[in-house]
Every structure is written in structure tokens, then in C-alpha cells.
Amino acid sequence: MSTRQTIRLTVNGKSYEREVEARLTLADFLRHELHLGGTHVGCEHGICGACTILIDGRSARACLTLAVQADGADIITVEGLRNRETGQLHPIQQAFVDAHGLQCGFCTPGFIMTTLELLGENPDPSDEEIKEALGGNLCRCTGYQSILDSVRLAARRLQSASAA
């Protein structure tokens, strides 16, 4: 009996069709099949949030999701945020650079993807709302103040861009 299954999904705007093992995680699929290394694998238990991606617009832990569960889904990873034509960073990515929210960088993709979901739903979050949204992401460097500053800066920049 075959344990392989064909899946079709869209990742960062590009369609893919692959035959995968039924137990392959989405994190491993993204990293090893599509060579998208921005989705980091930390705890592999869904606790640290380093593997956070968006599946159909909602944040999800790629380490807890099987690739077969993403069949038919639209997925955005941190690689999908940069402007493909100009190479310019997404305002959230640039805010993390400018406000020193990167630390060692291991947890950063998860924080950025969670921030993308947060600011999509709430463009002007309070500090408490930011802390609540990012509560499932861990930074081993403990740079939470810089991360909070980065999210605030990203919110201001996105609001300015949408007002222009």
C-alpha cells in the first residue's frame, strides 16, 4: 500500500503539484521539496512558533501540519513577502530590520508571519493586543522589546502607506 499522495497547492503565488509521503510535515515539504528555508523548524511541537506560515490567510504551525493537509491551500511563507520585482522588503520585514527586532534571526520568520496576520486583522493594535498575538512565538534571545517596537513601526508604516 502506497503512503504517497499527490497534493496541489499554491506557495507564495506559485502553483505546485507534488507526490509526497502522507506523514511529511508541511515544514519539511517547504524546506526540502520547495527549498524555502525561511520557515524555520525549532521545537517541532508547535510551541516556539518559528515555523509559522499563513495557510489561506490564517497563521499555522508548519511543523504540526502535514503537507497532505495543505492540499488545495494558498500558503504564504516569509519568502513570499519580499517584492518579487524590486527585491524590496515588505514593510513588516523592513520594520524588523530598522527597529532591531531580528536578534539572531532564528525566530524572526515566525514573528513576521504572525505580525502579518495581526496587522491584516487589526491595523492599529495596542501593545497588549500585539503581546497577545505574538504570545505563541518565542525568542530565545529574549529581544521582546525590540520585537514589540518593530511591530509598532510596521503598523505605523502600513497605515501611512494605505493613507497615501
Side-chain angles (χ1 to χ4, degrees):
M1 182 167 121
S2 174
T3 59
R4 298 186 70 82
Q5 185 173 334
T6 300
I7 61 170
R8 293 169 194 82
L9 64 166
T10 302
V11 180
N12 300 330
K14 185 175 179 182
S15 296
Y16 295 92
E17 180 177 322
R18 294 283 198 281
E19 185 174 313
V20 299
E21 288 289 332
R23 62 183 180 186
L24 180 69
T25 68
L26 186 55
D28 286 340
F29 175 78
L30 294 169
R31 292 180 60 81
H32 304 297
E33 293 284 329
L34 302 185
H35 306 290
L36 297 172
T39 303
H40 292 171
V41 178
C43 67
E44 297 186 67
H45 297 286
I47 297 170
C48 74
C51 66
T52 303
I53 59 170
L54 297 187
I55 300 176
D56 294 329
R58 303 296 304 174
S59 63
R61 302 289 198 251
C63 74
L64 296 180
T65 306
L66 296 174
V68 295
Q69 292 174 303
D71 186 29
D74 183 21
I75 295 170
I76 300 174
T77 70
V78 73
E79 291 94 341
L81 299 183
R82 178 181 280 227
N83 185 306
R84 288 183 205 151
E85 295 176 17
T86 66
Q88 183 177 12
L89 294 177
H90 186 280
I92 295 172
Q93 294 171 309
Q94 191 61 56
F96 270 73
V97 171
D98 294 343
H100 309 289
L102 300 174
Q103 315 303 316
C104 78
F106 189 83
C107 65
T108 304
F111 275 102
I112 288 174
M113 298 310 293
T114 303
T115 299
L116 180 65
E117 180 185 42
L118 168 67
L119 298 182
E121 295 174 351
N122 180 0
D124 188 23
S126 67
D127 285 354
E128 290 308 313
E129 289 169 326
I130 294 169
K131 291 175 185 175
E132 175 69 23
L134 298 180
N137 293 77
L138 301 178
C139 172
R140 296 176 189 165
C141 303
T142 66
Y144 293 105
Q145 186 59 51
S146 297
I147 292 169
L148 181 63
D149 294 344
S150 299
V151 176
R152 282 193 217 116
L153 179 60
R156 284 194 307 270
R157 287 179 175 171
L158 288 170
Q159 286 177 343
S160 294
S162 67

